Amino acid sequence: MKSWIAFWSILKKDIQNYYLKPPNISWGIIFPLSWTLMQFIRSGSLNIIEFLPGLMSMSILFGTTSMLAVTITFERKGRSFERLLLAPISLNTMVLAKITGAVLFGILNAFIPAAVAAFFADLTGVNWGVVLLAVCLISITSTLLGLLIAVSAKEVFEAQTFSNFFRFPMLFLCGLFIPIHELPAFFRLLSYCLPLTYGTDILNGAIAQTNTMPSLLCIPVLLAFAVFLFVICRYNINRKWIL
Amino acid sequence: MDIVNVTNLKKTYGDFAAVNGVDFSIGQGEIFGFLGPNGAGKTSTINMMIGLAKPTEGTIIIKGIDVRKQVKKAQSIMGIVPDESNLYDELDGFENLCFCASLYGMRKEERESKAKQLLDEFRLTEAGKRPFKAYSKGMRRKLVIAAGIIHSPQILFLDEPTTGIDIESARQIRELIVELKNQGTTVFITTHYIEDAERICDRIAFIVSGKIIAIGSIPELMESISHGYMIRLSAEESIMKYAADLQARFEGCNIKASQNNSLVLASQNRIPLLPVIQYFDEKGVSIYEARQLSPTLEDVFVKVTGIEAEKLEKEKEKGVAGK
Ligand SMILES: Nc1ncnc2c1ncn2[C@@H]1O[C@H](COP(=O)(O)OP(=O)(O)OP(=O)(O)O)[C@@H](O)[C@H]1O
Ligand SMILES: [Mg+2]
């Protein structure tokens, strides 16, 4: 019970304080929208249905990672993060509370392009249940990846730089806009090591029926990634932040 | 009964020993002071005790809980006031307090009423509605202390609570600490200010270069320097020239220079005053003050650490100004 009070309180504070701060809005919303516009202008036309899954993945990836860079690195720097480490709640609860805000933010971000797309394309064939599941899983794994980066960074700008180092290559490697089978063999190997590949594939299947792997396989893979990343993050926090 | 037992605590960074084997215990309801210069290892010791740093060696038992094994359980009875203000800049005073209380599982009504009460006690009610980043240094300090005690901890850790704030606020903080002690809270406090320690601490440890070099209650520490008796005589004119003669005349007396118009007689035995005054009277010098000097904690500190007390405090002022 006491842990829940702390959990809600941390989550609520993060949402109120950080959700709508400019860096998050720009990375999570403006960037995906300008990307769409760029694609549209370049090719003159756009198959919205085929473009949407990649765009949703991208919104989640950028939204969640920049959110964590702020909520964690910023608080670490101002030392208010110490309060969380010193609170009598388990490290798991604390980490969960910190990432839940980012996960929710990622989910919300994913549905912004979807809502916009609904005005321009017929989305009746979309399996929304699977979409929601995939969005949640992508959001969780991207958040944890963001956390891993935030744990390694000392400054906010460092976290932003590190995360760009990861997330821009992921745009091309994870089948967001370039099908994986078109990548050179080496990069393809890399693709299968990244959780986003599996998440995007599920979205591709649920929205445009263009998946390359069975979704029933991708879901457990993503869950495994989530657990794996959570364990590493927790281990790193314990090792790096409690000196 | 001891609430804290620390044995052979060590912390090394690389091959530098910040804390080099300290042992101490703190009794229930005691105010225990950690006094030492910059870099002595005070904060490192606190950080290990509260679970923010991992000891390289040693054990820490707080209320029967092994901190190294059950840190969360131990943290639930601790209140912590770190050396730097670490509240949320963007939250106002009231929100900050409520947030901190919630981390200890306090319910909404309970934490809100306690936050109001504390803001009131600290005379921050008006400031309670302003964001923390708009606070002055003293206000910040007070709010951080309020945040440290909102969940009524059994043991409170204060890392230099009075550094860098004005005299009046420092006095308020000291009063508050004594008040907490009277309510049964155990207090661990680190400071640079010998006077602070002398005024409120029941027991004190001097720490230098990661080692405790003296520990005890104030009377115990005083005794340790076996000061003997000292009398300072003051006259209207320079009396230093009589020093040698006095020393010869009064056996066992040691004459020390003081200021120009005064000198200090020190002896292991009580010094009868009348013969001394008569001596000066014969010389035609009138003594207008003879005062018994008792050793201060500062004397003890200087004696055992070899560090000038003033230097200790100046160092800190510099440190603060430089930040
Ligand atoms: N993370 C760290 N890495 C390396 N050295 C450290 C670290 N933290 C502290 N030290 C060193 O350990 C020594 C003790 O530091 P500590 O902060 O405990 O001193 P202190 O007594 O609190 O001093 P002050 O009065 O300045 O607060 C210092 O020499 C400091 O440089
Ligand atoms: Mg310190």
Side-chain angles (χ1 to χ4, degrees), chain A residues 52-132:
Chain A
L52 185 61
L55 197 63
M56 288 172 80
S57 292
M58 175 168 150
S59 300
I60 303 172
L61 180 66
F62 280 78
T64 51
T65 44
S66 36
M67 172 100 177
L68 273 174
V70 177
T71 61
I72 306 243
T73 327
F74 181 70
E75 288 189 1
R76 283 255 301 143
K77 192 114 180 52
R79 292 191 51 183
S80 50
F81 199 82
E82 275 176 17
R83 293 208 169 259
L84 306 180
L85 292 173
L86 292 172
I89 47 170
S90 74
L91 206 53
N92 285 341
T93 311
M94 192 271 278
V95 174
L96 277 176
K98 283 312 256 188
I99 64 174
T100 302
V103 170
L104 291 174
F105 187 67
I107 295 170
L108 194 82
N109 265 340
F111 287 102
I112 291 169
V116 174
F119 288 101
F120 303 101
D122 177 17
L123 299 181
T124 47
V126 174
N127 186 342
W128 288 110
V130 178
V131 169
L132 184 64

Side-chain angles (χ1 to χ4, degrees), chain A residues 1-3 5-7 9-13 16-18 21 74-75 78-91 98 237-243, chain B residues 11 13 47 50-55 72-73 75-76 80 82-88 90-91 95 98-108 111 144 147-148:
Chain A
M1 183 60 213
K2 286 192 164 180
S3 290
I5 294 177
F7 178 90
S9 181
I10 295 171
L11 180 58
K12 207 175 107 205
K13 182 191 71 65
Q16 286 171 350
N17 276 300
Y18 302 128
K21 289 283 154 75
F74 181 70
E75 288 189 1
R79 292 191 51 183
S80 50
F81 199 82
E82 275 176 17
R83 293 208 169 259
L84 306 180
L85 292 173
L86 292 172
I89 47 170
S90 74
L91 206 53
K98 283 312 256 188
I237 289 174
N238 196 26
R239 193 173 57 94
K240 287 203 160 173
W241 291 354
I242 302 179
L243 289 172
Chain B
K11 177 77 194 175
Y13 296 105
N47 282 350
I50 62 180
L52 206 57
K54 296 186 189 98
K72 292 296 159 189
K73 192 173 170 204
Q75 281 170 346
S76 69
I80 295 148
D83 53 351
E84 273 172 54
S85 304
N86 65 350
L87 288 166
Y88 295 90
E90 57 284 348
L91 300 185
E95 289 166 337
C98 289
F99 178 74
C100 292
S102 73
L103 293 179
Y104 291 83
M106 282 169 75
R107 288 167 189 286
K108 194 169 162 50
R111 59 185 188 236
V144 174

Side-chain angles (χ1 to χ4, degrees), chain B residues 37-44 83 159-160 190 192 316:
Chain B
N38 283 140
K42 302 183 293 296
T43 302
S44 302
D83 53 351
D159 200 352
E160 295 184 29
T190 77
H192 277 90
K316 191 61 193 180

Side-chain angles (χ1 to χ4, degrees), chain B residues 28-182:
Chain B
Q28 171 82 49
E30 203 171 55
I31 300 180
F32 184 82
F34 232 45
L35 194 65
N38 283 140
K42 302 183 293 296
T43 302
S44 302
T45 307
I46 282 208
N47 282 350
M48 288 188 278
M49 293 175 77
I50 62 180
L52 206 57
K54 296 186 189 98
T56 310
E57 220 183 297
T59 51
I60 304 161
I61 309 286
I62 296 180
K63 222 166 180 216
I65 307 163
D66 185 337
V67 175
R68 293 183 74 174
K69 292 195 182 116
Q70 290 179 288
V71 64
K72 292 296 159 189
K73 192 173 170 204
Q75 281 170 346
S76 69
I77 60 163
M78 294 177 187
I80 295 148
V81 178
D83 53 351
E84 273 172 54
S85 304
N86 65 350
L87 288 166
Y88 295 90
D89 272 343
E90 57 284 348
L91 300 185
D92 68 31
F94 180 72
E95 289 166 337
N96 260 310
L97 291 185
C98 289
F99 178 74
C100 292
S102 73
L103 293 179
Y104 291 83
M106 282 169 75
R107 288 167 189 286
K108 194 169 162 50
E109 316 80 60
E110 197 190 354
R111 59 185 188 236
E112 287 186 351
S113 77
K114 195 75 198 280
K116 281 206 189 86
Q117 181 202 326
L118 281 172
L119 286 173
D120 206 41
E121 269 175 41
F122 281 82
R123 291 170 226 162
L124 288 172
T125 310
E126 269 310 300
K129 298 179 201 93
R130 271 185 268 153
F132 187 63
K133 61 172 169 255
Y135 277 34
S136 77
K137 197 160 185 175
M139 288 157 75
R140 282 170 166 262
R141 212 69 205 125
K142 284 193 229 171
L143 197 71
V144 174
I145 294 175
I149 60 175
I150 192 163
H151 56 289
S152 319
Q154 296 181 34
I155 173 160
L156 179 64
F157 292 87
L158 295 148
D159 200 352
E160 295 184 29
T162 55
T163 297
I165 61 174
D166 68 34
I167 297 170
E168 172 59 15
S169 302
R171 196 179 53 82
Q172 269 178 34
I173 289 172
R174 282 195 302 271
E175 278 169 8
L176 175 95
I177 295 169
V178 172
E179 169 81 26
L180 285 169
K181 170 204 156 85
N182 293 338

